[in-house]
Amino acid sequence: MFVRGAAQRSARQVCFACPVRTECLADALTSATEFGVWGGLTERERRALLRRHPGVRDWGSWLEQRDDDVEAAVSDGRRTLA
């Protein structure tokens, strides 16, 4: 989903209804995907998460433990993710 600005909010809503959202986000983080909304996070949100947790090697496992925190931060509109 390659949208900009306010359209990202709608794209994220689609993601949070998707049954494979966590796997999609883990893949985007693992491959450092630069563009688009993946797993409910924008480019900026994914970059922030990667910067904040540089030692994570297995994003799938990390998200299994903390995905609720990430989802809450996104739905609350917080810029600081888990």
Side-chain angles (χ1 to χ4, degrees):
M1 299 212 254
F2 303 97
V3 294
R4 295 174 101 30
Q8 289 180 335
R9 181 167 280 144
S10 297
R12 288 165 52 185
Q13 288 175 335
V14 171
C15 288
F16 280 99
C18 180
V20 295
R21 185 189 69 77
T22 303
E23 292 86 348
C24 178
L25 178 56
D27 184 62
L29 290 165
T30 299
S31 63
T33 301
E34 292 186 41
F35 303 104
V37 175
W38 294 91
L41 297 186
T42 65
E43 302 100 346
R44 179 177 286 170
E45 291 165 334
R46 289 193 311 277
R47 280 193 307 267
L49 202 52
L50 289 166
R51 269 193 315 272
R52 193 163 285 109
H53 302 284
V56 174
R57 297 290 173 241
D58 182 355
W59 283 102
S61 294
W62 189 91
L63 287 167
E64 281 180 22
Q65 298 171 8
R66 294 176 183 86
D67 190 49
D68 290 340
D69 297 333
V70 171
E71 188 172 342
V74 169
S75 65
D76 290 348
R78 286 183 263 150
R79 293 191 184 248
T80 304
L81 298 175

